[in-house]
Amino acid sequence: MEQKRREWVKNAAIIFLVIMLILTFFSNTIMNYSLPEVSAQYVSSGTLSEQIRGTATIEAAESYTITAADSRTVQSVSVKNGDTVEKGQVLLTLESGDSKELEAAQAELDDATVAYRKALLAIGADYSIDELSISNLEEDIAADKANLDNISVYQEEYEKAKAKVDSIEEKIREINKNIKALTNEQSRLDEQLTALSSDDFSSLDDSYYKRVEAAQEKIDKYEEIKATADKKVENLQNSIGDSVSDLDVELKNTEIQKQNELVTKLTAQYSEALAGTNADLDADEILEQLTDAKYTLSTLNAELRDLISTKNSNSSAETQLTYALVTQGNAEKNYTDAQEGLDTLKLTISKEIKAERSKITEKIDSANDELDDANNELADLEEEEAEAKEKASTSIEDAEKEILEKERSLEEMKLTLAQKQKSDLVSAGEASIDIEVMQKNISDLEEEVAELKESASGGEITAQVAGVIESIYPVAGETIEAGSTVAVIQMTEKGYTASITVTSDQAKKVKVGDAAEIQYFWYGDAAATLTAIKADTTNPATSKQLVFSVTGDVTPGQSIQLVMGGKGQQYDTIVPNSAVREDSNGKFVLAVVAKSSPLGNRYTAERVDITVVASDDTKSAVTGELMQSDFIISTSTKPINPGDQVRLVD
């Protein structure tokens, strides 16, 4: 019993010691796996180009405010905020009738005129005929001035019509140029077909010529071998006596001759079919007949060889002839196959050329249809141009000259009437004082009415400039007052601007004329150029406003991301942006510090305070107690604090 207890104690002690040894030797590994894993890199030096970034809103370089000329009621509004409008496009439609101001002024003028006429009748004066003549002439002048505005419109319409005619004529020239190029290509393909059918392969395109040349070289090779075999057979036949009836041989040769004639005939027809000179011949059908005829010819030649072989079978010469005939047969077959290969190749190339020619023909037909449409459009536009030209035949200068002459006549008529009235007033005595006051009042009212008519909006308010509607204020049914703002238009024809706010230090790194990159812009092409550096009104002490001129496929109200690279500068201490941390005490980095222990190196994260002096997308230049030999933590698998132990990524 005592013995067993001793054994148990001894075994427990051994197990305890083993466990302690294991824990001692593997404690480093176990602890490492519980520590945060970090990536680190050494502090570096180099050139850093600080990026200046900002989000800007596209605005028109200039805006135009449209005001109401008189008080009118709005019937309908034709545009909304953000709409693109052209010069002269209708913005508002007004209810018919005169403005309140014009109605009031006209009523006051009518009352003053009635009182004036009564006063004249009291002294026995009547100027109705003179006033009617003056009124008629004034109406004529007003009509001429209205027509003067139309002349300007007619001339603009004529210029537009003329520009359309010029544009369609340019289009017709381009279509004709395209048709000519396609026709030349079609002629070139016809020349290729002719060269292919005439066996003049030298004028074929390289791609075709190389293929045909290789097939022809194969024919020449087997033709030479066949000629050698034929010569050998001929010599052996001449050296062997006749053991077969000459009539048998002659009959067989006659059959071969007829078959040769058939092959020659079919070969000629096949060439005609390829060239297209005989529309009644089908190349595929002729090729099939030619192949059959050549096969029959080969069979007849074989039969002839059999006769000769039988005739000379018992002699040495006959044995040689047998081998020679076999060689001849092989050579003839190779030669025939090579010829058939060339014929097939020519047919294939011919089909390729014809297919390409067919595509060219389709393009020519399409271009001709387009040309017909363009010519029809040209005829319509020329008619429009002629009509517009006729309307614009009277020049603005001539119309203005005629208006000026009528205005001079009007002044003369008014002066004559004034002299006549003055003479009558002198005769009237004291009553003339009141009449003079009435005349002055009527004259002032007439000027007021004329001015109101001149500035009247008419039935519509139109855009004075092209651009994008920034604001449209009235709504249907609302009465707008004279001088009130109706709409604000961003004048896109003057270009676009955008601006971002940066620090004063950043502003020092760029200059007017520098280009900015527009990032993540998927709407087309756009470019931005720095045009001004201004003080920021919200924080002038520390901020600046960068103003850019923007061109391209942009619209007012659109947001863009602007990036500018400052001039590159050399820095001694550069760290990754991911390594820079910040808390209530400022910015800092964590440096990896190695400490020796009996079980190996321990790595600890130690805080190093820094100041960021410049940065780009990936790196920052800093100052602080850092050296290029310091190992800086950039990422970690867990949050870490200064003094924490870490393990380096493998």
Side-chain angles (χ1 to χ4, degrees), residues 312-355:
N312 302 290
S313 60
N314 295 324
S315 65
S316 173
E318 289 174 348
T319 302
Q320 294 180 31
L321 179 60
T322 299
Y323 288 115
L325 287 172
V326 171
T327 303
Q328 182 190 45
N330 291 334
E332 185 172 352
K333 183 178 184 305
N334 290 336
Y335 174 68
T336 301
D337 290 345
Q339 284 185 317
E340 291 175 354
L342 177 59
D343 292 338
T344 302
L345 177 61
K346 289 166 65 178
L347 180 60
T348 300
I349 293 176
S350 175
K351 289 180 178 179
E352 292 175 4
I353 295 174
K354 288 178 179 177

CSV table of all heavy atoms in Angstrom, one decimal, residues 312-355:
chain,number,residue,atom,x,y,z
A,312,ASN,N,2.8,-6.1,-121.8
A,312,ASN,CA,4.2,-6.2,-121.6
A,312,ASN,C,4.5,-6.9,-120.3
A,312,ASN,O,5.5,-6.7,-119.6
A,312,ASN,CB,4.9,-4.9,-121.6
A,312,ASN,CG,4.7,-4.1,-122.9
A,312,ASN,OD1,5.3,-4.5,-123.9
A,312,ASN,ND2,3.9,-3.1,-122.9
A,313,SER,N,3.5,-7.7,-119.8
A,313,SER,CA,3.6,-8.3,-118.4
A,313,SER,C,4.8,-9.3,-118.3
A,313,SER,O,5.2,-9.5,-117.2
A,313,SER,CB,2.3,-8.9,-118.0
A,313,SER,OG,2.0,-9.9,-119.0
A,314,ASN,N,5.2,-9.9,-119.4
A,314,ASN,CA,6.2,-11.0,-119.2
A,314,ASN,C,7.6,-10.5,-119.5
A,314,ASN,O,8.5,-11.3,-119.5
A,314,ASN,CB,5.9,-12.1,-120.2
A,314,ASN,CG,4.5,-12.8,-119.9
A,314,ASN,OD1,4.2,-12.9,-118.7
A,314,ASN,ND2,3.8,-13.2,-120.9
A,315,SER,N,7.9,-9.3,-119.7
A,315,SER,CA,9.2,-8.8,-119.9
A,315,SER,C,9.7,-7.9,-118.8
A,315,SER,O,8.9,-7.3,-118.1
A,315,SER,CB,9.3,-8.1,-121.3
A,315,SER,OG,8.5,-6.9,-121.2
A,316,SER,N,11.0,-7.8,-118.8
A,316,SER,CA,11.6,-6.9,-117.8
A,316,SER,C,11.2,-5.4,-118.0
A,316,SER,O,10.9,-4.7,-117.1
A,316,SER,CB,13.1,-7.0,-117.9
A,316,SER,OG,13.7,-6.0,-117.0
A,317,ALA,N,11.1,-5.1,-119.3
A,317,ALA,CA,10.7,-3.7,-119.6
A,317,ALA,C,9.2,-3.5,-119.2
A,317,ALA,O,8.9,-2.4,-118.7
A,317,ALA,CB,10.8,-3.5,-121.1
A,318,GLU,N,8.4,-4.6,-119.3
A,318,GLU,CA,7.0,-4.4,-118.9
A,318,GLU,C,6.9,-4.2,-117.4
A,318,GLU,O,6.1,-3.5,-116.9
A,318,GLU,CB,6.3,-5.7,-119.4
A,318,GLU,CG,6.1,-5.7,-120.9
A,318,GLU,CD,5.4,-7.1,-121.3
A,318,GLU,OE1,5.4,-8.0,-120.4
A,318,GLU,OE2,4.9,-7.2,-122.4
A,319,THR,N,7.8,-4.9,-116.7
A,319,THR,CA,7.9,-4.7,-115.2
A,319,THR,C,8.2,-3.3,-114.9
A,319,THR,O,7.6,-2.7,-114.0
A,319,THR,CB,8.9,-5.7,-114.6
A,319,THR,OG1,8.5,-7.0,-114.9
A,319,THR,CG2,8.9,-5.5,-113.1
A,320,GLN,N,9.3,-2.8,-115.5
A,320,GLN,CA,9.6,-1.4,-115.3
A,320,GLN,C,8.5,-0.4,-115.7
A,320,GLN,O,8.3,0.6,-115.0
A,320,GLN,CB,10.9,-1.0,-116.1
A,320,GLN,CG,12.1,-1.8,-115.7
A,320,GLN,CD,13.3,-1.4,-116.5
A,320,GLN,OE1,13.5,-0.3,-117.0
A,320,GLN,NE2,14.3,-2.4,-116.7
A,321,LEU,N,7.8,-0.8,-116.7
A,321,LEU,CA,6.7,0.1,-117.2
A,321,LEU,C,5.6,0.1,-116.2
A,321,LEU,O,5.0,1.2,-115.9
A,321,LEU,CB,6.2,-0.4,-118.5
A,321,LEU,CG,5.0,0.4,-119.1
A,321,LEU,CD1,5.4,1.8,-119.4
A,321,LEU,CD2,4.5,-0.3,-120.4
A,322,THR,N,5.4,-1.1,-115.6
A,322,THR,CA,4.3,-1.1,-114.5
A,322,THR,C,4.6,-0.2,-113.4
A,322,THR,O,3.8,0.6,-113.0
A,322,THR,CB,4.2,-2.6,-114.0
A,322,THR,OG1,3.9,-3.4,-115.0
A,322,THR,CG2,3.2,-2.6,-112.9
A,323,TYR,N,5.9,-0.2,-112.9
A,323,TYR,CA,6.3,0.7,-111.8
A,323,TYR,C,6.2,2.2,-112.3
A,323,TYR,O,5.8,3.1,-111.6
A,323,TYR,CB,7.7,0.4,-111.3
A,323,TYR,CG,7.7,-0.9,-110.5
A,323,TYR,CD1,8.4,-2.0,-111.0
A,323,TYR,CD2,7.1,-1.0,-109.3
A,323,TYR,CE1,8.5,-3.2,-110.2
A,323,TYR,CE2,7.1,-2.1,-108.5
A,323,TYR,CZ,7.8,-3.2,-109.0
A,323,TYR,OH,7.8,-4.4,-108.3
A,324,ALA,N,6.6,2.4,-113.6
A,324,ALA,CA,6.6,3.7,-114.1
A,324,ALA,C,5.2,4.3,-114.2
A,324,ALA,O,4.9,5.4,-114.0
A,324,ALA,CB,7.3,3.8,-115.5
A,325,LEU,N,4.3,3.3,-114.6
A,325,LEU,CA,2.9,3.8,-114.7
A,325,LEU,C,2.3,4.1,-113.4
A,325,LEU,O,1.5,5.0,-113.2
A,325,LEU,CB,2.1,2.6,-115.4
A,325,LEU,CG,2.3,2.4,-116.9
A,325,LEU,CD1,1.6,1.2,-117.4
A,325,LEU,CD2,1.8,3.7,-117.7
A,326,VAL,N,2.7,3.3,-112.3
A,326,VAL,CA,2.2,3.7,-111.0
A,326,VAL,C,2.7,5.1,-110.6
A,326,VAL,O,2.0,5.9,-110.1
A,326,VAL,CB,2.7,2.6,-110.0
A,326,VAL,CG1,2.4,3.1,-108.6
A,326,VAL,CG2,2.0,1.3,-110.3
A,327,THR,N,4.0,5.3,-110.8
A,327,THR,CA,4.6,6.6,-110.5
A,327,THR,C,3.9,7.7,-111.3
A,327,THR,O,3.6,8.8,-110.8
A,327,THR,CB,6.1,6.6,-110.9
A,327,THR,OG1,6.7,5.6,-110.1
A,327,THR,CG2,6.7,8.0,-110.5
A,328,GLN,N,3.6,7.4,-112.6
A,328,GLN,CA,2.9,8.4,-113.5
A,328,GLN,C,1.5,8.6,-112.9
A,328,GLN,O,1.1,9.8,-112.9
A,328,GLN,CB,2.8,7.8,-114.9
A,328,GLN,CG,2.2,8.8,-115.9
A,328,GLN,CD,1.9,8.2,-117.2
A,328,GLN,OE1,1.4,7.1,-117.2
A,328,GLN,NE2,2.2,8.9,-118.3
A,329,GLY,N,0.8,7.6,-112.5
A,329,GLY,CA,-0.5,7.7,-112.0
A,329,GLY,C,-0.5,8.6,-110.7
A,329,GLY,O,-1.4,9.5,-110.6
A,330,ASN,N,0.4,8.3,-109.8
A,330,ASN,CA,0.5,9.2,-108.6
A,330,ASN,C,0.8,10.6,-108.9
A,330,ASN,O,0.2,11.5,-108.4
A,330,ASN,CB,1.6,8.6,-107.7
A,330,ASN,CG,1.2,7.3,-107.1
A,330,ASN,OD1,0.0,6.9,-107.0
A,330,ASN,ND2,2.2,6.4,-106.7
A,331,ALA,N,1.7,10.8,-109.9
A,331,ALA,CA,2.1,12.2,-110.3
A,331,ALA,C,0.9,12.9,-110.9
A,331,ALA,O,0.7,14.1,-110.6
A,331,ALA,CB,3.3,12.1,-111.2
A,332,GLU,N,0.2,12.2,-111.8
A,332,GLU,CA,-0.9,12.8,-112.4
A,332,GLU,C,-2.0,13.1,-111.4
A,332,GLU,O,-2.7,14.2,-111.5
A,332,GLU,CB,-1.5,11.8,-113.5
A,332,GLU,CG,-2.6,12.4,-114.3
A,332,GLU,CD,-3.0,11.5,-115.5
A,332,GLU,OE1,-2.4,10.5,-115.7
A,332,GLU,OE2,-4.0,11.9,-116.1
A,333,LYS,N,-2.2,12.2,-110.4
A,333,LYS,CA,-3.3,12.5,-109.4
A,333,LYS,C,-2.9,13.7,-108.6
A,333,LYS,O,-3.7,14.6,-108.3
A,333,LYS,CB,-3.4,11.3,-108.5
A,333,LYS,CG,-4.5,11.4,-107.4
A,333,LYS,CD,-4.7,10.2,-106.6
A,333,LYS,CE,-5.8,10.4,-105.6
A,333,LYS,NZ,-5.7,11.5,-104.8
A,334,ASN,N,-1.6,13.8,-108.2
A,334,ASN,CA,-1.1,14.9,-107.4
A,334,ASN,C,-1.3,16.2,-108.2
A,334,ASN,O,-1.7,17.3,-107.7
A,334,ASN,CB,0.3,14.7,-107.0
A,334,ASN,CG,0.5,13.7,-105.9
A,334,ASN,OD1,-0.5,13.3,-105.2
A,334,ASN,ND2,1.7,13.1,-105.9
A,335,TYR,N,-1.0,16.1,-109.5
A,335,TYR,CA,-1.1,17.3,-110.3
A,335,TYR,C,-2.5,17.7,-110.5
A,335,TYR,O,-2.9,18.9,-110.4
A,335,TYR,CB,-0.5,17.0,-111.7
A,335,TYR,CG,-0.7,18.1,-112.7
A,335,TYR,CD1,0.0,19.3,-112.6
A,335,TYR,CD2,-1.5,17.9,-113.8
A,335,TYR,CE1,-0.2,20.3,-113.5
A,335,TYR,CE2,-1.7,18.9,-114.8
A,335,TYR,CZ,-1.0,20.1,-114.6
A,335,TYR,OH,-1.2,21.1,-115.5
A,336,THR,N,-3.4,16.7,-110.7
A,336,THR,CA,-4.8,17.0,-110.8
A,336,THR,C,-5.4,17.6,-109.5
A,336,THR,O,-6.2,18.6,-109.5
A,336,THR,CB,-5.6,15.7,-111.2
A,336,THR,OG1,-5.1,15.2,-112.4
A,336,THR,CG2,-7.1,16.0,-111.4
A,337,ASP,N,-5.0,17.0,-108.4
A,337,ASP,CA,-5.5,17.5,-107.1
A,337,ASP,C,-5.0,19.0,-106.9
A,337,ASP,O,-5.7,19.8,-106.3
A,337,ASP,CB,-5.0,16.6,-106.0
A,337,ASP,CG,-5.6,15.3,-106.0
A,337,ASP,OD1,-6.7,15.1,-106.6
A,337,ASP,OD2,-5.1,14.4,-105.3
A,338,ALA,N,-3.8,19.2,-107.3
A,338,ALA,CA,-3.2,20.6,-107.1
A,338,ALA,C,-4.0,21.6,-108.0
A,338,ALA,O,-4.3,22.7,-107.5
A,338,ALA,CB,-1.7,20.6,-107.5
A,339,GLN,N,-4.3,21.2,-109.2
A,339,GLN,CA,-5.1,22.0,-110.1
A,339,GLN,C,-6.5,22.3,-109.5
A,339,GLN,O,-7.0,23.4,-109.5
A,339,GLN,CB,-5.3,21.4,-111.5
A,339,GLN,CG,-4.0,21.6,-112.4
A,339,GLN,CD,-4.3,21.0,-113.8
A,339,GLN,OE1,-4.9,20.0,-113.9
A,339,GLN,NE2,-3.8,21.8,-114.7
A,340,GLU,N,-7.1,21.2,-109.0
A,340,GLU,CA,-8.5,21.3,-108.4
A,340,GLU,C,-8.4,22.2,-107.1
A,340,GLU,O,-9.3,23.0,-106.8
A,340,GLU,CB,-9.0,20.0,-108.0
A,340,GLU,CG,-9.4,19.1,-109.2
A,340,GLU,CD,-9.8,17.7,-108.8
A,340,GLU,OE1,-9.7,17.4,-107.6
A,340,GLU,OE2,-10.2,16.9,-109.7
A,341,GLY,N,-7.3,22.1,-106.4
A,341,GLY,CA,-7.1,22.9,-105.2
A,341,GLY,C,-7.0,24.4,-105.6
A,341,GLY,O,-7.6,25.3,-104.9
A,342,LEU,N,-6.3,24.7,-106.7
A,342,LEU,CA,-6.2,26.1,-107.2
A,342,LEU,C,-7.6,26.6,-107.6
A,342,LEU,O,-8.0,27.7,-107.3
A,342,LEU,CB,-5.2,26.2,-108.3
A,342,LEU,CG,-5.1,27.6,-108.9
A,342,LEU,CD1,-4.7,28.6,-107.9
A,342,LEU,CD2,-4.1,27.6,-110.1
A,343,ASP,N,-8.3,25.7,-108.3
A,343,ASP,CA,-9.7,26.1,-108.8
A,343,ASP,C,-10.6,26.4,-107.6
A,343,ASP,O,-11.4,27.4,-107.6
A,343,ASP,CB,-10.3,25.0,-109.7
A,343,ASP,CG,-9.6,24.9,-111.0
A,343,ASP,OD1,-8.9,25.9,-111.4
A,343,ASP,OD2,-9.6,23.8,-111.6
A,344,THR,N,-10.5,25.5,-106.6
A,344,THR,CA,-11.4,25.7,-105.4
A,344,THR,C,-11.0,27.0,-104.7
A,344,THR,O,-11.8,27.8,-104.2
A,344,THR,CB,-11.2,24.5,-104.5
A,344,THR,OG1,-11.6,23.3,-105.1
A,344,THR,CG2,-12.1,24.7,-103.2
A,345,LEU,N,-9.6,27.2,-104.6
A,345,LEU,CA,-9.2,28.4,-103.9
A,345,LEU,C,-9.6,29.7,-104.6
A,345,LEU,O,-10.1,30.7,-104.0
A,345,LEU,CB,-7.6,28.4,-103.8
A,345,LEU,CG,-7.0,29.6,-103.2
A,345,LEU,CD1,-7.4,29.8,-101.8
A,345,LEU,CD2,-5.4,29.5,-103.2
A,346,LYS,N,-9.6,29.7,-106.0
A,346,LYS,CA,-10.0,30.8,-106.7
A,346,LYS,C,-11.5,31.1,-106.5
A,346,LYS,O,-11.9,32.2,-106.4
A,346,LYS,CB,-9.7,30.6,-108.2
A,346,LYS,CG,-8.2,30.7,-108.5
A,346,LYS,CD,-7.9,30.1,-109.9
A,346,LYS,CE,-8.5,31.0,-111.0
A,346,LYS,NZ,-8.1,30.5,-112.4
A,347,LEU,N,-12.3,30.0,-106.5
A,347,LEU,CA,-13.7,30.1,-106.2
A,347,LEU,C,-13.9,30.7,-104.8
A,347,LEU,O,-14.8,31.6,-104.6
A,347,LEU,CB,-14.4,28.8,-106.3
A,347,LEU,CG,-15.9,28.8,-106.1
A,347,LEU,CD1,-16.6,29.7,-107.1
A,347,LEU,CD2,-16.5,27.4,-106.2
A,348,THR,N,-13.2,30.2,-103.8
A,348,THR,CA,-13.3,30.8,-102.4
A,348,THR,C,-13.0,32.2,-102.4
A,348,THR,O,-13.7,33.1,-101.8
A,348,THR,CB,-12.4,30.0,-101.5
A,348,THR,OG1,-12.8,28.6,-101.5
A,348,THR,CG2,-12.5,30.5,-100.1
A,349,ILE,N,-11.8,32.6,-103.0
A,349,ILE,CA,-11.4,34.0,-103.0
A,349,ILE,C,-12.4,34.9,-103.7
A,349,ILE,O,-12.8,36.0,-103.3
A,349,ILE,CB,-10.0,34.2,-103.6
A,349,ILE,CG1,-9.0,33.5,-102.7
A,349,ILE,CG2,-9.7,35.6,-103.8
A,349,ILE,CD1,-7.6,33.5,-103.3
A,350,SER,N,-13.0,34.3,-104.8
A,350,SER,CA,-14.0,35.0,-105.6
A,350,SER,C,-15.2,35.3,-104.8
A,350,SER,O,-15.7,36.4,-104.8
A,350,SER,CB,-14.4,34.2,-106.8
A,350,SER,OG,-15.4,34.9,-107.6
A,351,LYS,N,-15.6,34.3,-104.0
A,351,LYS,CA,-16.8,34.5,-103.1
A,351,LYS,C,-16.5,35.6,-102.0
A,351,LYS,O,-17.3,36.4,-101.7
A,351,LYS,CB,-17.2,33.2,-102.4
A,351,LYS,CG,-17.8,32.2,-103.4
A,351,LYS,CD,-18.2,30.9,-102.7
A,351,LYS,CE,-18.9,29.9,-103.6
A,351,LYS,NZ,-19.2,28.7,-102.9
A,352,GLU,N,-15.2,35.6,-101.5
A,352,GLU,CA,-14.8,36.6,-100.5
A,352,GLU,C,-14.9,38.0,-101.0
A,352,GLU,O,-15.4,38.9,-100.4
A,352,GLU,CB,-13.4,36.2,-100.0
A,352,GLU,CG,-13.3,35.0,-99.1
A,352,GLU,CD,-11.9,34.7,-98.7
A,352,GLU,OE1,-11.0,35.5,-99.1
A,352,GLU,OE2,-11.7,33.6,-98.1
A,353,ILE,N,-14.4,38.1,-102.3
A,353,ILE,CA,-14.3,39.4,-102.9
A,353,ILE,C,-15.8,39.9,-103.2
A,353,ILE,O,-16.1,41.1,-103.0
A,353,ILE,CB,-13.5,39.4,-104.2
A,353,ILE,CG1,-12.0,39.1,-103.8
A,353,ILE,CG2,-13.6,40.7,-104.9
A,353,ILE,CD1,-11.1,38.9,-105.0
A,354,LYS,N,-16.6,39.0,-103.7
A,354,LYS,CA,-18.0,39.3,-104.0
A,354,LYS,C,-18.7,39.7,-102.8
A,354,LYS,O,-19.6,40.6,-102.8
A,354,LYS,CB,-18.7,38.2,-104.7
A,354,LYS,CG,-18.2,38.0,-106.2
A,354,LYS,CD,-18.8,36.8,-106.9
A,354,LYS,CE,-18.3,36.7,-108.3
A,354,LYS,NZ,-18.9,35.5,-109.0
A,355,ALA,N,-18.5,39.0,-101.6
A,355,ALA,CA,-19.2,39.3,-100.4
A,355,ALA,C,-18.8,40.7,-99.9
A,355,ALA,O,-19.6,41.5,-99.5
A,355,ALA,CB,-18.8,38.3,-99.3
